[in-house]
Amino acid sequence: MKYTGATTQLSLVFATILLTTGIRRLLYNYLLRIPPVTDDVAYDHLLSTSLIAFSAGLVSIFLVNLAGIRAIFVFYVLTNILSAASAVTTYTLGKSAFHKIAMYITTIGYDLDRAATLVVVLAYPGERWKARVLAIFLLIEYFAITLGDIIALVDPGSAQSRFRGAIAFLCLSCLALVPALAIAPSENVVRSDGVYLVSPKTTVLTELRQTAKMFTNKYMLLLLPYMFSYPLLFGSAEVNFPNVTAIILYDGGKMFIVFMSQMLDVQWAGRRTRSYVGMATLVVFFVVSISITAALRIIDYDLTGLDVSWPRPQIEAFVMGAVMNQRYAMLMTSYFFAGAASSFIELFGYWVMGTLTNDFKSTARFVGTYHSAMALGGLLGYQLTNNTEHAAYTTNIPMYVAIALTIVSFVCLYFILRRISETNDWTLERISNRGSDTQPTSQASMETITVISDVKYEHHKETTA
């Protein structure tokens, strides 16, 4: 494999994510949910994290293009090292102040890194591999979260074992600097089909101008409701996990993106047809998930013994206990379909972006906007129901609004799917690159690379032998 080849570069990104996000997600609950101090040092304030994610998404619209992906990955690794060091400090000194500060910084690094990772995953693979490569990277996080939750709930361990885990976390985080520093600039990368990435130099003024122009693109405007609506629904529903089984089923449902990625990438039909089938599958899972969730919330449960004067957490725990005792199978099924629907929506949304353009910088603008819209939706959904009694167990107006908006977003998305073709050729410019020193494959010979109108290249179409 060539160093500048897409496969090599994706492998380096994969190794970096595995040693940072993967390990941190795996050990986070285990190390920090049960600290050897009196106060809870876990950073789980949804308002703060959502605001940081939203802000980082906005910044990533410009920063991925201006600073480059290697700088962002290295920055994230350094913030991850800081997080690991703060965990070690917490166990060594018994003080959590350093950890709380470190987690704010790490959250910024993580959200910037996630945007950069998604840009790479969408821009580097050929059209026939985008969904599958995207699924692989999403599964790293899904698997790590699932295993981490199970470890924390089943075997919390002793303070000494968690301290050793923090040391291992720190060592692995330091090791992640090696692949992060080896990541090549995007303009040097050659895709597997022999096409160089389109990644011209840019300036702050250019990024501001092109980002503003992007929001006049009707396809971007049609994507915005889709980006925003499901996180709004998830936040307003206030999903709680009562036991390990619920977590396993929820995260297990997310593993079905492997099925979705195969459906979208394997050439069993034209790309537009595959997109229609993918959307139909998504809608089915969404409808089933919402139907079960709504049914659970309108059922009258036997709440004998409930005292309304109890604190809210105690009341919610009592109600959840009643739901589990009286509708356990239905409740567990809802977690599976909720996990599958949420992962399908995320994968499908990013895959559709991958059908819009192969231009690296335009992809960064799309991904940054998507990331911000998702964070904003989750933030508003949570805040609108934060003070609502029993929001996690009853229907509420924000939840109804979010369901309606999600349905509208599917209609908007349909108008984008109608424009999908076998190659990314619906934007204003159509090009293929003749500068490759790699022999074109049958896929490369038919593939057209697109850019946004501010970048113009000579159009050249190669033919197969």
Side-chain angles (χ1 to χ4, degrees):
M1 294 187 297
K2 295 176 59 176
Y3 167 67
T4 56
T7 302
T8 302
Q9 293 302 310
L10 285 169
S11 298
L12 291 171
V13 173
F14 180 89
T16 303
I17 299 303
L18 188 63
L19 291 170
T20 51
T21 301
I23 300 299
R24 185 165 62 88
R25 292 291 193 181
L26 177 65
L27 295 178
Y28 181 73
N29 284 351
Y30 176 72
L31 294 178
L32 302 175
R33 294 292 182 182
I34 313 173
V37 290
T38 56
D39 56 329
D40 182 6
V41 302
Y43 178 68
D44 56 2
H45 306 296
L46 188 56
L47 173 61
S48 300
T49 54
S50 296
L51 284 173
I52 290 174
F54 173 67
S55 302
L58 290 177
V59 172
S60 69
I61 297 175
F62 313 101
L63 197 61
V64 171
N65 290 336
L66 292 171
I69 58 171
R70 177 163 56 189
I72 290 179
F73 281 117
V74 170
F75 172 72
Y76 175 52
V77 171
L78 293 176
T79 64
N80 217 63
I81 293 173
L82 180 66
S83 174
S86 72
V88 174
T89 303
T90 299
Y91 283 92
T92 304
L93 303 179
K95 298 183 181 297
S96 61
F98 177 41
H99 170 71
K100 291 179 178 178
I101 296 173
M103 290 311 298
Y104 276 99
I105 299 173
T106 304
T107 301
I108 296 172
Y110 166 74
D111 286 302
L112 291 175
D113 166 82
R114 199 166 196 268
T117 299
L118 290 167
V119 172
V120 168
V121 168
L122 290 176
Y124 285 14
E127 267 55 60
R128 300 181 182 183
W129 285 94
K130 288 183 184 292
R132 283 175 282 189
V133 174
L134 177 60
I136 291 173
F137 278 84
L138 291 176
L139 285 174
I140 295 175
E141 192 163 353
Y142 295 161
F143 268 120
I145 292 174
T146 303
L147 293 175
D149 287 339
I150 293 173
I151 291 172
L153 292 172
V154 175
D155 181 20
S158 64
Q160 185 63 30
S161 64
R162 293 197 302 274
F163 174 71
R164 288 194 292 266
I167 295 295
F169 178 28
L170 177 60
C171 294
L172 291 172
S173 296
C174 293
L175 185 62
L177 275 173
V178 176
L181 290 170
I183 295 173
S186 58
E187 60 268 20
N188 296 338
V189 176
V190 186
R191 297 197 335 177
S192 58
D193 50 22
V195 177
Y196 281 88
L197 285 177
V198 179
S199 185
K201 299 295 183 181
T202 188
T203 63
V204 174
L205 183 61
T206 299
E207 285 303 306
L208 290 173
R209 185 174 65 250
Q210 294 307 320
T211 299
K213 183 185 296 186
M214 181 182 67
F215 283 97
T216 64
N217 184 309
K218 63 180 179 181
Y219 298 103
M220 183 67 205
L221 297 178
L222 288 171
L223 268 173
L224 282 175
Y226 183 86
M227 301 171 181
F228 175 81
S229 58
Y230 191 77
L232 176 67
L233 173 59
F234 195 83
S236 62
E238 285 199 32
V239 178
N240 294 325
F241 299 97
N243 55 24
V244 176
T245 302
I247 294 172
I248 293 175
L249 288 172
Y250 179 78
D251 290 334
K254 288 188 172 186
M255 305 307 167
F256 270 68
I257 60 170
V258 175
F259 163 73
M260 174 68 90
S261 66
Q262 293 292 331
M263 180 192 307
L264 295 174
D265 277 349
V266 175
Q267 309 294 297
W268 55 271
R271 190 159 71 161
R272 185 183 304 168
T273 301
R274 300 197 307 271
S275 73
Y276 288 154
V277 175
M279 182 173 179
T281 304
L282 186 157
V283 169
V284 168
F285 273 80
F286 171 78
V287 170
V288 172
S289 175
I290 291 301
S291 299
I292 297 175
T293 301
L296 282 167
R297 290 164 185 254
I298 62 177
I299 293 174
D300 290 327
Y301 298 99
D302 180 7
L303 300 178
T304 303
L306 175 65
D307 187 343
V308 294
S309 65
W310 289 345
R312 181 180 174 184
Q314 186 177 354
I315 293 176
E316 292 183 346
F318 184 91
V319 175
M320 175 58 83
V323 175
M324 292 182 64
N325 291 332
Q326 300 168 43
R327 292 290 189 276
Y328 184 80
M330 191 176 182
L331 179 64
M332 293 300 109
T333 302
S334 72
Y335 286 111
F336 172 81
F337 279 97
S342 64
S343 62
F344 277 17
I345 286 176
E346 185 173 25
L347 176 73
F348 193 66
Y350 284 120
W351 180 80
V352 169
M353 285 186 196
T355 69
L356 304 185
T357 178
N358 286 321
D359 176 54
F360 187 90
K361 299 192 182 305
S362 299
T363 301
R365 297 175 193 127
F366 271 93
V367 169
T369 304
Y370 196 129
H371 198 63
S372 299
M374 288 180 65
L376 182 61
L379 168 64
L380 290 178
Y382 177 78
Q383 292 303 312
L384 288 173
T385 58
N386 189 29
N387 295 318
T388 302
E389 291 295 328
H390 317 313
Y393 314 109
T394 60
T395 50
N396 52 76
I397 292 177
M399 180 177 169
Y400 285 131
V401 172
I403 291 173
L405 183 58
T406 303
I407 294 172
V408 170
S409 76
F410 291 155
V411 177
C412 295
L413 188 63
Y414 169 74
F415 289 100
I416 298 178
L417 302 187
R418 292 176 57 192
R419 298 293 293 131
I420 289 179
S421 62
E422 291 308 301
T423 57
N424 295 4
D425 60 3
W426 61 264
T427 49
L428 298 179
E429 299 290 336
R430 292 173 34 158
I431 66 163
S432 64
N433 192 298
R434 70 166 72 194
S436 170
D437 58 0
T438 305
Q439 292 297 320
T441 63
S442 59
Q443 177 185 348
S445 65
M446 298 301 294
E447 189 166 284
T448 303
I449 309 304
T450 64
V451 295
I452 299 301
S453 57
D454 61 308
V455 184
K456 295 184 178 180
Y457 290 85
E458 178 185 1
H459 173 70
H460 172 72
K461 184 178 180 179
E462 297 179 335
T463 57
T464 55

